Amino acid sequence: MPPADRTRGEPAPSRDRVPTTMQRMRAWRGPALLSFGFRPFFLIGGAYAATVVLVWLLVLTGAMASPGDWPPLAWHAHELVFGFVPAVVAGFLLTAVPNWTGRLPVVGWPLLGLVAVWLAGRLAVAAAGLLPGALVAALATAFPVTLAVFLGREILAGRNWRNLPVLGAVILLGIAQALFHAELLQGGAPVRGDRLGIAITVFLITLIGGRIVPSFTTNWLKRREPGALPVPFNRFDAFVVAGGALGLLLWAVLPMAPGPTRAAGLILVAGGALQLVRQARWQPWRTGPEALVWVLHLAYGFVPLGFLLSGAGVLRADFGLEMAGLHAWAAGAIGLMTLAVMTRATRGHTGHALTAPPATVAVYLAVALAALLRIAAALAPGWSVPLLTLAGIGWCAGFLGFVLLYGPMLIRPRA
């Protein structure tokens, strides 16, 4: 979680580690962009999210060919799930780890090197067809491997065992990407790798988002409104997260099964219902006055929606419902939650007030609307072309808006 909002119960940095962190930060005399992990990765992540969907719209309309020689849908899925998402995850975790362990994993030139590894993967995918497929796979998967090494070193050195599941999820994300490439190299559609990547990211949202959403809500309510506070993470939450992980795993492996299974559909529907109960305990209806808080609840709301739609699609063998569920997770939960976290962390760590100005609210609404339109396109195939176009425009507007509004904060020293 972002250091600006430490959750009660998180271990305080040990005194023997703080000087190392501060010395490394003070020793850096280069660009502010390389002074903390969230700065470069949030900037390139937001810009790339808009770029990928803009290119996808141009490909759909026939205005340009898909980069590389991959099928257009494979390129689109890979670069969002394994390009955009890992960049934001890296920015978040490289910033959160000091809060968890009292250590700073990477700043300055090593941070630039990590960014270069990410960029190499994007260039390799764009040059697919000109490079051997195995080389493209190696360059593309090098980033999650390198990120896992950095994070693992810090978590293990800080003895921060409670966050080992986060490290495990990063490793699994790299495995999902490797599976994606293996399916492509074998001449098949990379459905299993794509689904597994989405499932792992949604799991991270239920795990980490399930801690920061009630925590940030509690912090805001304590300052603004009297009354009961959101229920903190407890055994019920752990049960819901574990049940959700099972449902996501079953959803990810469904393409390998001979057909939809009733048990998987029921588990997904039950998981969605439990996620709704879990979120209701966080009192989202009380966060209306502050967009920086309610957007977290709105983004998390797409998690149970994805479970319910996917479960209904499996039970009814309805491809449209399944695709609606997939995009509730991909465009809604992942897209809006990453945007919410990027804006909040950027404001907090660059010395700006933790409140969302009207322009930021417009950015949130653009991506939320894009997610709803993308879900609608799956449910109403007859209107898919205009709905997809409008959804793409909304997505691009939202993430481009983030770059324009928050880019200057990310490249300048703390206010």
Side-chain angles (χ1 to χ4, degrees), residues 71 74 180 182-192:
F180 188 105
E183 291 178 289
L184 274 179
L185 290 172
Q186 293 171 2
V191 178
R192 290 170 290 180

Side-chain angles (χ1 to χ4, degrees), residues 11-389:
S14 61
R15 294 183 178 180
D16 61 331
R17 295 183 190 127
V18 172
T20 300
T21 297
M22 297 308 298
Q23 287 170 3
R24 291 176 66 181
M25 292 180 68
R26 290 170 179 167
W28 177 245
R29 293 292 182 266
L33 186 65
L34 299 178
S35 64
F36 227 144
F38 74 94
R39 290 178 177 271
F41 280 111
F42 284 179
L43 184 60
I44 61 177
Y48 201 62
T51 301
V52 169
V53 173
L54 176 60
V55 171
W56 176 240
L57 287 176
L58 294 175
V59 170
L60 285 180
T61 58
M64 69 174 290
S66 177
D69 68 344
W70 286 6
L73 185 59
W75 176 86
H76 168 73
H78 184 277
E79 290 308 278
L80 284 177
V81 177
F82 300 115
F84 155 63
V85 169
V88 180
V89 169
F92 175 82
L93 292 180
L94 290 173
T95 306
V97 163
N99 187 42
W100 297 343
T101 66
R103 297 171 59 88
L104 188 65
V106 57
V107 295
W109 301 120
L111 178 58
L112 180 61
L114 192 56
V115 172
V117 174
W118 182 88
L119 287 171
R122 310 286 63 77
L123 293 173
V125 171
L130 300 177
L131 300 174
L135 179 58
V136 173
L139 291 172
T141 56
F143 180 72
V145 172
T146 309
L147 178 62
V149 170
F150 277 116
L151 296 176
R153 179 195 65 188
E154 299 306 313
I155 289 175
L156 295 175
R159 299 180 181 273
N160 189 246
W161 313 124
R162 68 174 293 188
N163 287 302
L164 280 177
V166 176
L167 175 61
V170 173
I171 295 172
L172 287 175
L173 196 60
I175 293 173
Q177 188 174 9
L179 176 60
F180 188 105
H181 286 272
E183 291 178 289
L184 274 179
L185 290 172
Q186 293 171 2
V191 178
R192 290 170 290 180
D194 180 35
R195 281 194 174 216
L196 185 57
I198 293 173
I200 293 165
T201 308
V202 174
F203 168 75
L204 277 173
I205 291 175
T206 65
L207 180 65
I208 301 178
R211 291 181 182 272
I212 67 173
V213 176
S215 173
F216 293 167
T217 304
T218 296
N219 293 341
W220 185 81
L221 289 176
K222 281 181 177 179
R223 296 191 298 268
R224 300 296 192 282
E225 295 184 21
L229 296 174
V231 180
F233 193 96
N234 58 21
R235 291 182 179 178
F236 175 76
D237 294 88
F239 173 76
V240 175
V241 170
L246 175 60
L248 289 165
L249 177 61
L250 292 173
W251 176 80
V253 303
L254 277 176
M256 294 180 279
T261 64
R262 183 172 181 82
L266 291 174
I267 290 173
L268 284 166
V269 171
L274 287 172
Q275 290 285 353
L276 284 173
V277 174
R278 183 192 191 198
Q279 187 173 9
R281 297 158 75 240
W282 303 337
Q283 305 177 40
W285 57 88
R286 296 177 61 194
T287 63
E290 179 49 63
L292 209 64
V293 182
W294 63 245
V295 70
L296 294 166
H297 290 273
L298 178 59
Y300 198 92
F302 282 100
V303 171
L305 180 61
F307 273 98
L308 294 173
L309 288 171
S310 298
V314 170
L315 291 172
R316 298 179 55 182
D318 188 316
F319 181 74
L321 280 172
E322 283 203 65
M323 288 299 99
L326 184 153
H327 287 96
W329 283 331
I334 297 174
L336 191 56
M337 185 62 80
T338 54
L339 187 64
V341 169
M342 287 194 299
T343 52
R344 184 184 187 94
T346 299
R347 299 190 70 84
H349 289 293
T350 57
H352 293 79
L354 285 177
T355 187
T360 299
V361 176
V363 163
Y364 293 156
L365 294 178
V367 174
L369 180 60
L372 293 173
L373 289 170
R374 186 60 188 87
I375 295 169
L379 296 174
W383 292 85
S384 63
V385 174
L387 289 173
L388 283 173
T389 302

